[in-house]
Amino acid sequence: MQGYLVGALIFALLVAVFAVQNTNTVDIQFIAWRISDISLVLVILGSSVIGAVVVFLLGGVKQLSLNKKVRDMKRQNESLIKEVNELKGKLEQKESMEKEIMGIEVEAQEKVGEDLN
């Protein structure tokens, strides 16, 4: 994160230096708009600001999408944890029933052994 911030600051500084060194006036035409005799500094800085705003908005949309995915994954995780706990309970019940059955079988075998003697 800090590397990203340092890189952004260096880029902003380079854009500012470039803009200050290009102080000529220019004519701008974009689709139906026409602006005459505007400083190139304003064009460069304005374009940079518009680009930054677009990147910020697109990043915000992506962040919202990621937050939604995280919420969905947390819900799914909670559901799976609940299912695992239910299955553990069922397994414990099954194991205890198997122990009871084994105990009954042992008792029955002992009784059969006593009856034979």
Side-chain angles (χ1 to χ4, degrees), residues 28-80:
I28 302 241
Q29 184 173 349
F30 181 71
I31 304 176
W33 299 310
R34 182 168 175 80
I35 303 172
S36 298
D37 294 328
I38 186 169
S39 175
L40 188 56
V41 172
L42 294 175
V43 173
I44 293 169
L45 293 178
S47 298
S48 297
V49 168
I50 290 171
V53 167
V54 168
V55 167
F56 176 76
L57 292 175
L58 292 176
V61 168
K62 183 175 182 180
Q63 189 65 37
L64 289 174
S65 172
L66 290 175
N67 286 343
K68 184 183 180 307
K69 280 185 180 179
V70 166
R71 278 193 313 272
D72 292 344
M73 294 298 238
K74 282 183 180 179
R75 280 191 214 115
Q76 183 180 11
N77 189 31
E78 290 171 0
S79 172
L80 291 172

Side-chain angles (χ1 to χ4, degrees), residues 102-117:
M102 292 292 279
I104 292 171
E105 286 177 352
V106 168
E107 287 177 12
Q109 286 176 357
E110 289 174 355
K111 206 172 215 185
V112 168
E114 289 176 3
D115 288 343
L116 290 176
N117 288 331

